[in-house]
Amino acid sequence: MPELPEVETVRRGLQPAMEGSKILKAEARRKDLRFPFQKDFVARLEGQTVTGLGRRAKYLMADLGSGDVLLMHLGMSGSFRVLDDHGSGTPGQFHHPRSEDRAHDHVVFHMSSGAAIVFNDPRRFGYMKIIARQALEEEPLLKGLGPEPLGNEFDAAMLARSCFNKKTSLKAALLDQRVVAGLGNIYVCEALFRSHLSPRRLAATLSTKKGEPTDHAGRLVTAIHSVLNQAIKAGGSSISDHRLTSGELGYFQHSFQVYDREGEKCQTGGCSGIVRRFVQNGRSTFWCPKCQK
């Protein structure tokens, strides 16, 4: 499933075509995706200007002139592509075809910018929902989400407070969207490796008995910032379904230092360890047992 860097990459690709542009026509070509579309879904979109296109955790959020917000989630296989007036995109150097079956083009936004924004989702795990902005704080899909890992409020002190007295593993804590929003399996593995912290370490070790951040918390926050920013710059990671809006592949997967590198030599300078894999909370964890403590 796309994680924060992939969703942020998609947001940046959609922004020039959507932000400041009016939705002249909206098409919902089926009654549902993962969830049914609202009965007034199309009516609440048509004629509305997209005043801003943001992201919260793994959600895209389009602010509309009406005061509504269009919440969009890519699910497992969802992707957007931007078509010009002639119905063609402009694929770049890393272009690979996504789903070629146009039967999976489930939602289309025709914009006053001249672009058509097409949402294709073969597995239909993605979803869209329109929410009144004043109701966002109580929206079940968003309520309880933790801080944005690239936001100003996310620092070692906040992470230490969130992990204070937690009995879970450090990896499980970081995957908990209430602790920090938007992180997934790939970037948690990478951040733990860069900070030389074991995924099996207790989350509580990020704070002292008084709730103050330890050195581990500081190193981990720095690693999270580093890996996310690097991944966004690279267009995210294309493991199976992720593509940019132009059809290009993200290429951060070529920079993985530990994820999916089972049996390879550890990339930490001076370490003779071998990357291992084990299943943790139902997910594959990749780590170096020698330098991650």
Side-chain angles (χ1 to χ4, degrees):
M1 181 176 291
E3 301 180 26
L4 186 153
E6 289 75 51
V7 179
E8 176 61 21
T9 297
V10 171
R11 186 195 72 81
R12 295 183 183 188
L14 292 176
Q15 192 173 25
M18 292 190 77
E19 202 166 78
S21 183
K22 182 181 292 187
I23 302 173
L24 300 178
K25 180 182 178 182
E27 297 180 61
R29 295 179 174 176
R30 53 179 299 116
K31 295 181 179 180
D32 59 5
L33 291 173
R34 184 174 179 180
F35 308 121
F37 287 112
Q38 293 147 299
K39 292 182 180 180
D40 58 354
F41 181 78
V42 168
R44 291 172 71 177
L45 292 175
E46 290 186 337
Q48 296 301 321
T49 297
V50 177
T51 59
L53 187 64
R55 179 193 52 76
R56 177 72 172 106
K58 301 175 186 179
Y59 293 95
L60 292 166
M61 302 175 67
D63 283 288
L64 305 177
S66 61
D68 283 335
V69 176
L70 172 61
L71 193 71
M72 298 173 281
H73 195 284
L74 296 173
M76 296 289 289
S77 62
S79 64
F80 284 94
R81 67 182 187 276
V82 180
L83 304 180
D84 60 21
D85 290 325
H86 306 290
S88 62
T90 53
Q93 180 181 359
F94 296 95
H95 173 73
H96 283 253
R98 288 167 289 191
S99 171
E100 293 296 330
D101 189 347
R102 296 300 174 242
H104 300 310
D105 288 350
H106 300 310
V107 181
V108 183
F109 305 128
H110 300 272
M111 310 300 299
S112 62
S113 62
I117 312 298
V118 183
F119 181 68
N120 182 288
D121 189 2
R123 302 185 197 177
R124 299 202 307 272
F125 281 116
Y127 48 91
M128 297 185 186
K129 183 178 181 181
I130 301 174
I131 308 163
R133 171 151 287 282
Q134 62 266 28
L136 278 181
E137 291 186 4
E138 299 303 317
E139 168 55 41
L141 294 171
L142 301 175
K143 193 174 182 179
L145 284 177
E148 288 288 320
L150 293 178
N152 292 331
E153 62 180 1
F154 181 71
D155 56 15
M158 170 170 278
L159 184 58
R161 288 194 300 271
S162 297
C163 291
F164 182 68
N165 278 340
K166 271 191 176 295
K167 306 302 181 185
T168 59
S169 70
L170 186 49
K171 186 186 179 191
L174 293 176
L175 288 176
D176 185 343
Q177 300 298 295
R178 296 168 296 182
V179 173
V180 55
L183 291 182
N185 195 43
I186 292 174
Y187 300 108
V188 169
C189 286
E190 289 293 310
L192 288 172
F193 176 77
R194 293 186 184 202
S195 56
H196 302 295
L197 296 174
S198 169
R200 289 190 166 113
R201 170 184 283 274
L202 281 180
T205 59
L206 295 187
S207 69
T208 66
K209 292 182 179 180
K210 295 182 179 180
E212 298 174 348
T214 62
D215 176 64
H216 301 319
R219 285 180 9 224
L220 182 54
V221 167
T222 297
I224 290 171
H225 287 161
S226 174
V227 72
L228 290 181
N229 281 317
Q230 186 180 349
I232 291 170
K233 186 176 181 180
S237 302
S238 293
I239 302 299
S240 56
D241 294 305
H242 171 64
R243 299 289 187 274
L244 282 67
T245 56
S246 61
E248 299 173 5
L249 283 171
Y251 54 96
F252 184 70
Q253 66 274 12
H254 302 301
S255 300
F256 288 166
Q257 294 182 358
V258 68
Y259 187 83
D260 205 25
R261 291 188 176 275
E262 181 182 12
E264 297 184 19
K265 186 180 182 301
C266 177
Q267 294 189 21
T268 299
C271 180
S272 59
I274 300 297
V275 175
R276 302 299 182 194
R277 171 190 173 274
F278 69 97
V279 177
Q280 189 177 24
N281 301 108
R283 307 296 299 276
S284 291
T285 293
F286 298 90
W287 72 312
C288 174
K290 187 163 186 177
C291 70
Q292 286 181 256
K293 304 296 183 180

